[in-house]
Amino acid sequence: MAPFTLAHLSDPHLPPLPKPRLIELAGKRALGYVNWTRNRHKYQRREVLDALVADLQAQAPDHIAVTGDLVNLAMEAEFAPARAWLDEVGPPDRVTTIPGNHDAYVRATFHRFGETFAPYLAGDDGRIGFPGVRRRGPAALISLSSAVPTPPLMATGTLGRDQLKDLENVLDRLAAEDVFRVLLVHHPLKSVARQKRLTDSAGLLALLKRHGVELILHGHDHIHSTMWFEGPNGNIPAIGVPSASALAHGRYPAAAYNLFEIEKDNTGWRCEQIVRSIDHGLQIREIKRARLL
């Protein structure tokens, strides 16, 4: 039997940015808009995103996970194009998404992500909330939301006590099933940047140490990242990926996505990571292959 293939991309920051209304350019959005017009529009490119997604679709994965930051400033005019883009990536039964901090940029539109992407968020029980669980093949995708509005110059995430408590209950239930547990969260579980950290990562790490999952997927940092965290039966790989629309710039690599080939043999779960990235000519090629489990 062929392995189950899970694709992972993140942080598309869908370009181009719609022209904002004057009333929308207040507080945090004003700073974000200046950053976009002066810097980010140069390297967050739609042609890059389209090339990456076309290559991903050509690989015909069984499922696709998108770990947040579909929009930029969470303006009303951004959500419909983002939904149209996600519909092109794949249907809700083949694609799972979660929100990132840019999707919850300000309180005024905090609710819009859930409304816009509801079919891509709903768990197997039809509920739209976090944690959510979707079983696909041998995998159980566990969705978390670390997306909360934050003050200017801050990009932290928070899960909150209730979500962590519910996650523990979910992991208890899944422990009785023979499934490959994949945790989806926008913020990395460890960050050197105080203004970008997951504020309650210690609580999540303690929970995972007791209950475990097989794989953690995140975005947010816009870099290739592999970290390992302690679980009850060994270390858990946590994988981050660059922005799906980015040209290489400064310390940030060009857009890339991951493929995870998941299967079970006589010794337990096997998982191989394949990284595919874009080059200056907008060609996609494999740049890494690694055995995680």
Side-chain angles (χ1 to χ4, degrees):
M1 182 180 293
F4 178 86
T5 305
L6 174 65
H8 171 221
L9 72 158
S10 195
D11 298 74
H13 290 284
L14 193 70
L17 185 70
K19 185 176 181 180
R21 296 175 297 158
L22 185 60
I23 194 173
E24 292 179 305
L25 292 182
K28 185 171 183 174
R29 276 202 189 123
L31 294 176
Y33 184 68
V34 169
N35 186 26
W36 176 269
T37 55
R38 290 185 178 179
N39 300 302
R40 295 187 65 169
H41 80 280
K42 300 174 185 176
Y43 53 81
Q44 305 282 175
R45 307 296 300 177
R46 182 61 186 257
E47 63 269 25
V48 171
L49 180 61
D50 289 346
L52 197 77
V53 169
D55 185 81
L56 184 156
Q57 292 171 329
Q59 306 305 311
D62 295 296
H63 200 75
I64 302 169
V66 184
T67 51
D69 279 1
L70 277 68
V71 302
N72 294 285
L73 306 182
M75 297 185 298
E76 287 288 350
E78 291 183 85
F79 287 97
R83 171 62 192 266
W85 170 79
L86 195 62
D87 287 343
E88 292 174 0
V89 173
D93 63 328
R94 299 287 298 276
V95 179
T96 298
T97 193
I98 59 171
N101 57 296
H102 280 262
D103 303 314
Y105 207 66
V106 294
R107 294 187 183 280
T109 53
F110 178 71
H111 61 290
R112 292 291 285 120
F113 190 90
E115 294 174 348
T116 303
F117 301 103
Y120 293 90
L121 299 171
D124 290 338
D125 59 1
R127 188 178 68 91
I128 299 170
F130 302 98
V133 178
R134 290 180 147 197
R135 292 166 180 81
R136 299 293 185 269
L141 305 177
I142 308 162
S143 300
L144 298 181
S145 176
S146 58
V148 292
T150 57
L153 305 179
M154 297 296 288
T156 52
T158 300
L159 298 171
R161 184 180 303 174
D162 290 344
Q163 191 173 180
L164 287 172
K165 181 180 178 181
D166 290 344
L167 176 61
E168 185 159 26
N169 293 333
V170 166
L171 294 178
D172 275 340
R173 293 197 303 270
L174 291 176
E177 302 183 31
D178 187 21
V179 291
F180 186 94
R181 298 161 297 175
V182 183
L183 190 71
L184 307 179
V185 59
H186 179 69
H187 289 76
L189 276 61
K190 183 178 180 181
S191 178
V192 297
R194 181 174 177 81
Q195 72 275 16
K196 297 184 69 174
R197 76 194 191 285
L198 181 64
T199 61
D200 47 5
S201 62
L204 178 57
L205 289 172
L207 191 158
L208 293 174
K209 184 177 179 179
R210 295 193 303 271
H211 296 275
V213 294
E214 280 63 54
L215 179 64
I216 302 164
L217 302 180
H218 69 84
H220 192 53
D221 283 344
H222 295 196
I223 59 173
H224 296 285
S225 174
T226 301
M227 295 183 281
W228 296 85
F229 298 102
E230 187 177 358
N233 301 306
N235 288 335
I236 304 167
I239 309 296
V241 68
S243 164
S245 62
L247 295 169
H249 58 286
R251 69 181 184 90
Y252 297 104
Y257 68 91
N258 292 314
L259 291 169
F260 299 94
E261 294 185 346
I262 300 163
E263 59 184 334
K264 196 167 190 180
D265 59 21
N266 294 332
T267 62
W269 290 109
R270 293 171 56 90
C271 180
E272 185 174 51
Q273 176 193 13
I274 302 162
V275 185
R276 295 182 64 80
S277 181
I278 199 163
D279 63 20
H280 292 295
L282 300 189
Q283 299 299 307
I284 316 295
R285 60 186 179 89
E286 182 180 319
I287 62 170
K288 178 182 177 182
R289 186 177 288 253
R291 172 82 179 270
L292 296 176
L293 298 173

